[in-house]
Amino acid sequence: MALRQEAERATTEVSEVAPGILRLQLPIEMPGLGHVNCYALEDERGVTVVDPGMPGPKSWKSLIDRFGRAGFALRNVHTVVVTHSHVDHFGASGRLRVEAGADVVTADSFRTWWDPTDAGEQELEVVDGEEDSPDRLPWDQPTPWGGPHPRPPLAVRARYKLMKPVMKKWFATPSPSTRLSDAQVVTLGGREWVSVHTPGHTPDHLCLFDPAGGILLSGDHVLPTITPHISGIDSGPDPLSAFFASLEKVAELKDVGLVLPAHGHPFTDLPGRAKDIRRHHEERLARLREAAAQLGEASVEQLAQRLFRPRSWGSMAESETYAHLEHLRLAGEADRRRDAGHLLYSLA
């Protein structure tokens, strides 16, 4: 099986993908992903960077190296755009805010689980009578369906605990200075970009569209060879419906000639790719209906194992299966009940 574009390892190459827009690849090690694209938008003031990668000294070293290869320095960064609240996208933004004095631009709904500046705005979720605590790590929280929470590997969790005393240095929170509402216009890199809110992959996902240049910065919303994870955790009551609506929204943008994704290579056919991604999820819903018909009442784990290959079994697969099951339930196609802390689903 050919390696997916998004899984390719980061290179040190800096390429100009459009006039005044540079693509910098930063290394990451996440399931199915080998790099994140950081885009640098040049103007007379300096540089805006989009999605500056992971937190931590190793990623920071790579980021500064790419800046040098691109011909600018940390002091030239005046703005950081974060497309959404996943750590491989916002991780270095807080440090750029602190060390470069950069403004941080996000969607107006942006939030992270560890940002103390957001604590007063967040509502704590109650699951089976147990209230989430901001002091607990995300992977220690209960899941809505009763299975194990998606979590990093043991080595990563252990390193997190060891690094907790120095978190303020390497894991500075984004603390956005500009929060964009949908359809708001912002000037970055000498271009006027329109904010396009695209919830689904996360509730706070942001794309930026340059109508004059026909360019879309798509973040994780539309990727060239894989589909973004649709999580059943902290993503609203029906993230799949939100994702479908967001796909239709970007597919209807006029005269998009170039899509700049957060992973993988730039591509051109936005409507075609959006259609393919929707078809993938519709096929997944059809397989889920078939599995539910065969199994009768079943748990999320049982249904996930019908939906995904064995190599993908686990909490991430269960999270996406749960999101698809809730989509069916809210459409009146499925019923659920809770038994011994676990949700059980059946066709309506």
Side-chain angles (χ1 to χ4, degrees):
M1 183 177 177
L3 187 69
R4 299 282 192 174
Q5 288 184 20
E6 295 83 354
E8 294 174 4
R9 307 285 289 186
T11 73
T12 58
E13 176 187 6
V14 174
S15 57
E16 187 173 40
V17 292
I21 302 180
L22 305 177
R23 177 194 180 199
L24 323 175
Q25 299 175 54
L26 302 174
I28 59 174
E29 295 180 8
M30 303 179 77
L33 301 174
H35 67 275
V36 60
N37 293 323
C38 173
Y39 295 100
L41 318 179
E42 301 175 303
D43 61 25
E44 70 283 353
R45 291 176 52 210
V47 178
T48 295
V49 296
V50 181
D51 287 346
M54 297 285 287
K58 183 177 179 180
S59 184
W60 181 259
K61 183 179 179 180
S62 295
L63 183 64
I64 299 302
D65 170 78
R66 303 306 190 268
F67 286 175
R69 293 174 186 272
F72 60 89
L74 174 62
R75 66 179 180 276
N76 302 124
V77 178
H78 58 71
T79 305
V80 182
V81 175
V82 176
T83 59
H84 61 291
S85 55
H86 283 166
V87 70
D88 54 320
H89 299 263
F90 75 79
S93 60
R95 193 170 183 198
L96 286 169
R97 170 178 54 81
V98 171
E99 298 204 12
D103 292 329
V104 177
V105 178
T106 68
D108 55 13
S109 54
F110 180 90
R111 72 175 180 89
T112 66
W113 60 266
W114 67 33
D115 192 341
T117 64
D118 290 342
E121 302 172 9
Q122 297 179 27
E123 293 183 6
L124 299 180
E125 183 179 2
V126 177
V127 180
D128 285 348
E130 184 175 0
E131 188 178 78
D132 290 350
S133 166
D135 296 327
R136 291 194 302 174
L137 301 177
W139 48 84
D140 293 331
Q141 312 275 7
T143 63
W145 65 91
H149 201 292
R151 60 179 61 197
L154 178 61
V156 174
R157 302 199 307 273
R159 187 162 66 245
Y160 177 90
K161 289 183 178 180
L162 288 172
M163 289 182 66
K164 203 167 184 181
V166 294
M167 285 281 284
K168 288 184 179 180
K169 177 180 179 181
W170 294 110
F171 291 74
T173 53
S175 299
S177 47
T178 300
R179 292 177 177 266
L180 300 176
S181 57
D182 189 38
Q184 185 173 341
V185 177
V186 60
T187 301
L188 301 166
R191 299 169 181 265
E192 286 195 342
W193 300 88
V194 179
S195 166
V196 185
H197 284 194
T198 48
H201 177 55
T202 62
D204 56 11
H205 197 286
L206 169 71
C207 296
L208 289 177
F209 174 47
D210 167 21
I215 298 172
L216 179 72
L217 285 159
S218 69
D220 277 2
H221 180 52
V222 184
L223 299 172
T225 64
I226 65 172
T227 64
H229 175 61
I230 305 302
S231 172
I233 300 174
D234 296 332
S235 296
D238 190 353
L240 188 58
S241 280
F243 184 57
F244 284 163
S246 296
L247 282 176
E248 185 175 348
K249 185 177 183 179
V250 298
E252 291 176 348
L253 294 172
K254 300 297 184 183
D255 301 320
V256 177
L258 181 65
V259 182
L260 302 179
H263 309 281
H265 306 303
F267 60 97
T268 56
D269 184 8
L270 175 61
R273 184 60 189 143
K275 184 177 180 180
D276 288 344
I277 292 172
R278 175 160 188 144
R279 184 186 303 117
H280 165 82
H281 284 284
E282 288 175 340
E283 290 171 352
R284 183 160 284 179
L285 288 169
R287 293 202 306 273
L288 197 53
R289 292 184 189 99
E290 182 180 351
Q294 293 172 352
L295 291 173
E297 190 175 61
S299 68
V300 172
E301 180 182 8
Q302 289 172 312
L303 290 163
Q305 291 181 3
R306 290 295 189 95
L307 202 58
F308 290 88
R309 296 184 179 93
R311 65 179 182 176
S312 300
W313 289 356
S315 55
M316 290 285 284
E318 291 172 23
S319 176
E320 184 146 329
T321 301
Y322 171 72
H324 284 68
L325 285 165
E326 283 297 289
H327 178 77
L328 293 177
R329 184 184 70 84
L330 292 169
E333 294 189 54
D335 295 320
R336 76 178 190 189
R337 69 181 182 89
R338 190 175 293 277
D339 181 54
H342 291 262
L343 288 178
L344 301 176
Y345 286 84
S346 58
L347 293 179

